[in-house]
Amino acid sequence: MSKETLLEIKNLVTEFRTEEETVKALSEISFTLSRGETIGIVGESGSGKSVTALSIMRLIPNPPGKITDGEIIYHSKTLGTIDIVKIPEKEMRSLRGKEIAMIFQEPMTSLNPVYTCGDQVMEAVLLHQNVSKEKAKEITINLFKEVQLPRPSAIFDSYPHQLSGGQKQRVMIAMAMSGKPGILIADEPTTALDVTVQAAILDLMLKLQREHGMGILFITHDLGVIAELADKVVVMYKGKIVEQGSVMDIFSNPQHPYTKGLLACRPPLDKRLSLLPTISDFMKTDNSGEMIESHQSVNEVTDKLIVSEKERKDAHKILYSKDPILKIKNLKTYFPLKKGIFGKTKEFVCAVDDLSFDVYPGETLGLVGESGCGKTTLGRTILRLIEPTEGEIIFDGKNVAALSEKGLREMRRDIQIIFQDPYSSLNPRIAIGQAIMEPMQVHNILADDKVRKEKVIEILERVNMNESHFYRYPHEFSGGQRQRICIARALALRPKFIICDEPVSALDVSVQAQVLNLLNELKREFDFTYIFISHDLSVVKFMSDRMVVMNKGKIEEMGDADDIYNNPKTEYTQKLISAVPKGQLEDIREAIEKKKAAI
């Protein structure tokens, strides 16, 4: 790999001005990117990662934002040396896409739903290359082949909604590659993807980098993802770079307490912890707001939290001596796909295909598998938000599948669900206090609204929020706070059983750790039983007593969570586990050697 400098960021300052104040989103950021190199930019939401990318692309909305100081020097093979901060907008437009391309976090919102995928990529080809429409179509299909899309010609004529998340992201990568850029900026491109799809996308990006000699800026909140991908790591906190260095140095010997916190709060796969460390274990503030740094290492913090195998087995002996609270027997949920001439269904999608298992009081049963395996459908079928096709759901001795509407409403007081996206599961027009109180009113819990309000405030405080939040609206909160609100709403009815459907997949690893700790704390306090659904095997392993691995509507494997991780029986489970980014030093060394061998 050539060490020719491609991009130099020097003392970059980006500010956002409001009527009340000026916020420094970036404060004197400096780093360099070489040709053929990958830099991972990591940090929590609000740390300045995406603002860095948008500043390089000159896409900061003005007003309220503006680059107020510093240089962004781009060394182009064809155009020479350019200071991106100083060039006119017309010149910048010709750089975007052709010289510097960007892949955004959510491919569905980046693709236009009314145009085919082929037309959208072809438009980018026509913009950046002086070719005919016929040639542009040929180039687009070749790009689809290059990003390893199945049936490239069919996908050319497909609309975005007809593709899976991984396929949509490949279309976005094809679009980004259409101008043969020198720099590819990837802003959280795998956050919403399964671990297996994520692994394929990361491999694809490295393959394209080797073939085209691009520099990659890879933005993520997950240090595990960049461990095996990046050459260098830039750690950002509150608009500043707090640490940067080679991937091996950052992972083997992190210096800044914030970096230690980020490394520690991802659920480890090689040990079982009683709770996850958070950033506050490494960084605390005193009464005056000054930062107090902890000088403990990651291992010093995590070693105090390890749960021994004996403790776990003793707890399980008590747990599994009880009668199950939920029994699933031969459960099937089929969706009609094709109908014949006389309206009779000829084909079905077997979303849940003859499943049987038990869940015990006080247990957390993890459901893991790729998108489309039937996890969410199973969770919603248990609640009868989706009607089962066949089989029995016995909850607390009653067959849920046979309950009347009135009986179902009563049962739902005991079984609650926490959805994946907290924003779409809260009504934007209703203050959060009222949203939490509403189910209490429906089920006639407590004497009147005055008493209910007191209870809601108590619940808000229990999920680490406060009384002042009662009258605020969902848009006034961060993603982690919104998820706490949804947990508070589930708590309001004092249920026995909670189905958690991907409750942390959209959150930063640090916020994710706080929410997972909170769920475990509440489980101990209120004696809940959980079904915990996720595509992230490390999260499911941390949360679960037992684990169910699902594939194409069926149970692939079921058993103790640690046993399944340490000794997976089926090829599918082995593939899931091998795709999890572990961020361990031996994996980083292996990735470095692989890159050297590929040069």
Side-chain angles (χ1 to χ4, degrees):
M1 267 187 206
S2 162
K3 280 295 167 191
E4 175 194 341
T5 301
L6 198 55
L7 185 73
E8 295 174 86
I9 311 282
K10 297 179 182 178
N11 303 315
L12 183 66
V13 178
T14 300
E15 296 180 345
F16 287 85
R17 293 194 173 104
T18 66
E19 287 176 15
E20 290 84 31
E21 59 177 341
T22 297
V23 177
K24 267 192 183 179
L26 297 180
S27 186
E28 297 188 356
I29 298 292
S30 298
F31 63 87
T32 59
L33 173 70
S34 300
R35 198 172 294 283
E37 182 179 56
T38 301
I39 291 181
I41 302 180
V42 296
E44 299 168 282
S45 293
S47 63
K49 308 183 303 291
S50 293
V51 176
T52 302
L54 294 171
S55 297
I56 293 166
M57 295 290 283
R58 281 258 304 268
L59 288 172
I60 297 288
N62 183 11
K66 193 181 178 186
I67 297 170
T68 57
D69 201 1
E71 299 172 291
I72 304 170
I73 309 294
Y74 173 56
H75 300 278
S76 167
K77 275 186 173 177
T78 52
L79 304 170
T81 298
I82 298 163
D83 185 351
I84 284 171
V85 176
K86 290 178 179 163
I87 59 172
E89 179 56 30
K90 189 182 176 189
E91 203 176 320
M92 189 63 219
R93 270 203 299 272
S94 66
L95 277 186
R96 281 191 209 112
K98 186 163 177 61
E99 296 277 344
I100 307 173
M102 190 162 174
I103 308 163
F104 294 94
Q105 180 170 357
E106 183 40 76
M108 194 63 203
T109 55
S110 305
L111 291 166
N112 191 325
V114 298
Y115 291 102
T116 66
C117 295
D119 280 342
Q120 293 183 64
V121 177
M122 201 166 91
E123 185 185 11
V125 172
L126 289 166
L127 185 66
H128 298 303
Q129 299 183 40
N130 188 19
V131 292
S132 66
K133 276 197 168 185
E134 289 74 25
K135 182 66 179 169
K137 182 174 180 178
E138 187 190 318
I139 290 168
T140 300
I141 289 171
N142 285 334
L143 280 167
F144 285 172
K145 285 177 188 166
E146 196 176 1
V147 298
Q148 295 162 14
L149 276 164
R151 309 179 322 282
S153 298
I155 282 182
F156 185 93
D157 295 319
S158 299
Y159 289 89
H161 72 272
Q162 295 174 296
L163 307 186
S164 69
Q167 287 173 334
K168 283 196 280 273
Q169 201 57 287
R170 285 170 191 267
V171 170
M172 289 303 299
I173 294 171
M175 195 184 291
M177 295 302 297
S178 65
K180 299 178 182 171
I183 297 173
L184 181 64
I185 301 172
D187 188 1
E188 304 264 15
T190 60
T191 299
L193 304 178
D194 297 334
V195 283
T196 47
V197 180
Q198 173 177 278
I201 294 289
L202 297 180
D203 284 346
L204 171 65
M205 287 177 70
L206 287 173
K207 173 180 172 286
L208 293 171
Q209 183 185 41
R210 283 195 299 272
E211 288 169 6
H212 298 275
M214 296 181 299
I216 294 178
L217 281 181
F218 193 96
I219 294 167
T220 181
H221 61 257
D222 188 346
L223 274 160
V225 168
I226 59 137
E228 295 152 53
L229 177 82
D231 302 297
K232 283 197 316 204
V233 181
V234 170
V235 183
M236 294 190 70
Y237 176 66
K238 292 187 176 175
K240 294 180 178 176
I241 292 175
V242 294
E243 187 166 1
Q244 60 177 304
S246 75
V247 67
M248 184 53 88
D249 287 346
I250 295 288
F251 275 79
S252 61
N253 189 23
Q255 297 300 304
H256 197 277
Y258 181 69
T259 313
K260 292 176 188 175
L262 281 181
L263 282 166
C265 60
R266 182 166 172 78
L269 284 159
D270 56 341
K271 50 194 165 193
R272 171 137 325 236
L273 304 182
S274 56
L275 79 162
L276 291 172
T278 60
I279 302 288
S280 61
D281 290 311
F282 299 90
M283 295 172 74
K284 289 183 172 68
T285 52
D286 60 20
N287 295 335
S288 65
E290 282 294 307
M291 194 70 70
I292 306 165
E293 296 184 5
S294 161
H295 295 290
Q296 296 183 96
S297 71
V298 172
N299 285 339
E300 280 171 334
V301 172
T302 55
D303 286 352
K304 292 173 195 167
L305 303 169
I306 290 174
V307 177
S308 72
E309 202 171 324
K310 185 183 183 305
E311 286 174 282
R312 191 169 150 73
K313 281 186 173 164
D314 288 348
H316 281 183
K317 211 173 275 181
I318 298 162
L319 185 67
Y320 297 121
S321 64
K322 303 170 192 170
D323 290 331
I325 189 171
L326 179 74
K327 295 182 179 185
I328 305 292
K329 295 180 180 175
N330 308 110
L331 188 64
K332 296 178 183 177
T333 306
Y334 293 174
F335 296 114
L337 197 61
K338 267 191 185 173
K339 296 201 171 186
I341 288 173
F342 301 107
K344 193 174 177 185
T345 305
K346 289 171 70 182
E347 270 185 54
F348 291 93
V349 172
C350 305
V352 174
D353 198 5
D354 201 18
L355 300 193
S356 298
F357 60 87
D358 296 337
V359 186
Y360 293 82
E363 179 181 28
T364 298
L365 182 77
L367 281 185
V368 69
E370 296 171 290
S371 292
C373 71
K375 312 183 296 290
T376 294
T377 303
L378 173 59
R380 292 179 186 210
T381 303
I382 290 168
L383 272 165
R384 264 186 63 194
L385 295 172
I386 295 172
E387 288 296 329
T389 306
E390 219 177 276
E392 291 183 355
I393 305 160
I394 312 294
F395 175 73
D396 231 5
K398 294 175 190 161
N399 187 0
V400 174
L403 286 177
S404 65
E405 207 167 302
K406 184 173 180 287
L408 197 56
R409 196 179 299 118
E410 285 169 9
M411 180 276 297
R412 284 191 182 139
R413 179 178 166 173
D414 288 329
I415 306 184
Q416 287 291 298
I417 185 165
I418 301 165
F419 294 101
Q420 178 172 359
D421 181 1
Y423 196 67
S424 61
S425 56
L426 290 167
N427 188 327
R429 295 182 182 86
I430 294 177
I432 64 141
Q434 183 56 43
I436 297 167
M437 201 194 290
E438 193 175 35
M440 296 166 87
Q441 292 165 332
V442 168
H443 289 279
N444 208 21
I445 291 169
L446 301 178
D448 55 40
D449 282 354
K450 184 175 180 290
V451 185
R452 288 182 194 119
K453 183 185 172 183
E454 287 168 9
K455 189 68 182 171
V456 169
I457 290 165
E458 188 188 310
I459 292 167
L460 280 172
E461 285 169 352
R462 186 62 205 81
V463 298
N464 303 329
M465 298 188 75
N466 59 54
E467 188 177 339
S468 69
H469 294 141
F470 187 92
Y471 294 105
R472 293 195 195 170
Y473 289 84
H475 72 272
E476 297 179 75
F477 297 95
S478 68
Q481 287 174 317
R482 284 198 287 262
Q483 200 57 287
R484 287 172 190 276
I485 293 160
C486 292
I487 292 168
R489 186 175 58 184
L491 284 182
L493 297 179
R494 291 298 295 269
K496 297 175 182 174
F497 199 104
I498 299 178
I499 295 170
C500 305
D501 187 4
E502 300 266 17
V504 295
S505 65
L507 304 178
D508 291 338
V509 281
S510 53
V511 181
Q512 173 181 285
Q514 292 167 23
V515 172
L516 294 176
N517 287 342
L518 175 65
L519 286 169
N520 276 336
E521 211 178 290
L522 294 170
K523 177 184 157 183
R524 286 191 292 271
E525 189 176 325
F526 297 105
D527 201 25
F528 290 143
T529 305
Y530 288 143
I531 282 182
F532 193 94
I533 300 168
S534 180
H535 63 257
D536 187 333
L537 201 133
S538 61
V539 168
V540 171
K541 180 182 173 290
F542 167 72
M543 288 295 290
S544 306
D545 297 292
R546 283 184 307 147
M547 196 192 291
V548 172
V549 182
M550 285 187 71
N551 181 22
K552 294 176 184 171
K554 291 185 180 290
I555 292 175
E556 188 80 20
E557 198 163 341
M558 178 165 62
D560 181 86
D562 287 11
D563 290 349
I564 285 180
Y565 176 74
N566 294 323
N567 187 24
K569 300 281 190 296
T570 69
E571 196 181 322
Y572 178 76
T573 312
Q574 288 162 10
K575 185 180 84 166
L576 268 187
I577 291 167
S578 66
V580 176
K582 298 170 186 70
Q584 290 169 345
L585 295 180
E586 56 268 30
D587 298 316
I588 296 169
R589 284 192 194 97
E590 197 179 306
I592 291 168
E593 290 307 315
K594 224 187 256 183
K595 282 178 196 168
K596 282 180 186 168
I599 296 169

